[in-house]
Amino acid sequence: MRHSTLRQLEVFEAIARLKSFTRAAEELFLTQPTVSMQVKKLTEEIGLPLFEQVGKRIYLTDAGEELYQTCLGIFDHFSRFEMIASNMKGLKSGKLRLAVVTTAKYFVPRLLGMFCQKYPGIDVALKVTNREHILERLTGNQDDLYILGQVPDAVDAVAEIFLDNQLVVLAAADHPLATKKKITIERICDEPFIMREPGSGTRIATELFFSKHNKKLKVRMELGSNEAIKQTVAGRLGVAVLSRHTLALDAQVGQLAILDVEGFPIERHWYFAYSSGKQLSIVAQTFLSYLRQANSLLDNLICRHVTSGHCPLLKNETNIRSGGVRQRN
Ligand code: PGA
């Protein structure tokens, strides 16, 4: 039996399934004498007849039936192995086209660093732009995956929450409000406000929050970058609402204070998303599985780099949300 080649088993399986030597020969692109020869050799090795012929029809003997079931198991194992092997090949030379909103740049490169270490053959192209442009790219299916705040219902995409995103009110560390508790929303509206640019998700969420409370901000300046906003806030030009993630591992953390304002933090989430009709590549699927562990990965990474005193604040940034899957059609 050990001498039976895989080819002989393949020929046997085809005959058993098709109940015909002629059709098996056609399917395998072999001549009929070759098929008969392979079955003859296999039968000799096993030492039992595998088929019996009644009139023009062929039937499996008991030994033939057993061998047929064994063949199905062997071929099933082989095809699973083939899938695993091709996944491995895909991972070795794949490309991941990722597009993320501006604020996600505070944690995505760290996640990518660990991902690329794990899969060194994967080539990552990372595009960072604001929410408006990300939504345009998502609609045009220009990249493999997107990371952004909530995806509007009008966009035909699959989206899943993988991380919390809290928006907080920032002021200079020595701002008079920095030591106050339960600051009212009205009080914040008295302060000059530094706002993100139009099209920013942070801006949309901030405007929505204040308009829901029927309050109007005194916008002193609009800036297209979280970094520039933090510098401006640290320079006492105003207060701002930004994602807590923008404070991660930041040298400026000591120059900024998170204010205790009623209704804050605004609870948002980070989603990964892709166009509904998209067939995700193996590389993209691998990155998605990896993103689902983002919470613990970021905790480990951040705690290795900051003093223990800062850890609880930073760890709060990365509370994972589970089960938040939704699909839009
Ligand atoms: P933004 O997006 O970087 O464009 O402000 C952040 C978000 O959508 O929460």
Side-chain angles (χ1 to χ4, degrees):
M1 185 67 218
R2 298 251 171 100
H3 300 287
S4 305
T5 63
L6 202 58
R7 189 62 168 162
Q8 284 171 1
L9 294 178
E10 207 174 28
V11 168
F12 167 80
E13 188 277 331
I15 301 166
R17 174 168 41 85
L18 299 168
K19 304 280 186 295
S20 159
F21 279 63
T22 313
R23 284 170 57 202
E26 279 167 11
E27 185 181 281
L28 297 169
F29 300 104
L30 296 172
T31 62
Q32 205 168 329
T34 308
V35 165
S36 302
M37 178 60 71
Q38 298 285 7
V39 173
K40 189 167 175 278
K41 280 192 193 158
L42 187 62
T43 307
E44 280 165 8
E45 270 163 33
I46 291 170
L48 288 167
L50 300 171
F51 297 105
E52 53 195 12
Q53 192 153 0
V54 178
K56 286 198 165 181
R57 300 192 62 181
I58 58 162
Y59 295 89
L60 285 170
T61 61
D62 287 349
E65 190 58 58
E66 284 297 325
L67 183 62
Y68 182 53
Q69 295 307 324
T70 305
C71 282
L72 294 183
I74 291 171
F75 293 133
D76 184 47
H77 273 84
F78 253 88
S79 63
R80 262 187 268 160
F81 172 73
E82 270 170 2
M83 234 184 299
I84 291 166
S86 73
N87 279 1
M88 287 170 170
K89 281 185 212 155
L91 287 177
K92 275 184 190 138
S93 57
K95 179 153 190 154
L96 178 67
R97 286 168 310 159
L98 191 63
V100 308
V101 287
T102 323
T103 306
K105 76 174 181 195
Y106 291 93
F107 60 91
V108 169
R110 290 171 189 284
L111 289 172
L112 276 177
M114 288 184 280
F115 181 72
C116 292
Q117 256 174 18
K118 194 166 175 197
Y119 303 106
I122 292 183
D123 209 2
V124 182
L126 177 66
K127 173 90 191 156
V128 182
T129 183
N130 78 14
R131 176 179 171 83
E132 191 178 13
H133 293 124
I134 289 291
L135 288 175
E136 277 167 22
R137 294 178 76 93
L138 174 58
T139 307
N141 191 16
Q142 287 181 37
D143 311 87
D144 295 321
L145 288 174
Y146 299 86
I147 292 178
L148 70 165
Q150 194 164 357
V151 182
D153 286 341
V155 177
D156 192 11
V158 177
E160 182 177 328
I161 290 173
F162 71 98
L163 211 59
D164 278 355
N165 176 26
Q166 296 185 335
L167 303 191
V168 294
V169 185
L170 294 178
D174 57 358
H175 191 286
L177 292 179
T179 50
K180 298 275 184 290
K181 294 268 172 238
K182 297 199 171 95
I183 302 163
T184 62
I185 299 169
E186 284 88 349
R187 181 67 190 82
I188 293 301
C189 294
D190 290 340
E191 291 292 314
F193 196 87
I194 316 296
M195 184 68 103
R196 278 282 305 271
E197 81 286 6
S200 142
T202 308
R203 178 182 177 130
I204 294 167
T206 305
E207 287 178 341
L208 193 69
F209 176 89
F210 285 93
S211 78
K212 262 192 193 160
H213 288 87
N214 292 318
K215 298 285 180 293
K216 206 166 165 10
L217 286 164
K218 277 204 288 195
V219 178
R220 178 180 210 173
M221 209 183 280
E222 283 185 5
L223 293 172
S225 126
N226 293 319
E227 284 309 300
I229 290 182
K230 283 191 293 175
Q231 292 286 349
T232 311
V233 170
R236 301 190 196 96
L237 285 171
V239 299
V241 171
L242 289 183
S243 166
R244 200 190 269 265
H245 276 129
T246 64
L247 302 175
L249 307 180
D250 197 331
Q252 282 164 332
V253 162
Q255 300 172 42
L256 296 169
I258 297 177
L259 300 186
D260 180 15
V261 180
E262 59 184 27
F264 278 86
I266 301 173
E267 299 288 351
R268 278 170 67 77
H269 309 290
W270 292 117
Y271 289 75
F272 61 72
Y274 52 93
S275 303
S276 277
K278 191 160 197 89
Q279 280 290 325
L280 285 183
S281 68
I282 291 161
V283 168
Q285 287 173 31
T286 308
F287 188 64
L288 286 197
S289 314
Y290 175 80
L291 276 187
R292 290 188 178 110
Q293 314 156 45
N295 178 55
S296 53
L297 293 169
L298 284 174
D299 265 6
N300 282 341
L301 195 90
I302 288 167
C303 289
R304 258 191 270 127
H305 286 79
V306 298
T307 62
S308 55
H310 287 127
C311 236
L313 167 74
L314 294 165
K315 277 175 107 172
N316 283 342
E317 296 163 24
T318 55
N319 292 331
I320 198 161
R321 298 283 302 207
S322 56
V325 183
R326 65 200 177 114
Q327 176 154 6
R328 298 178 187 79
N329 300 311

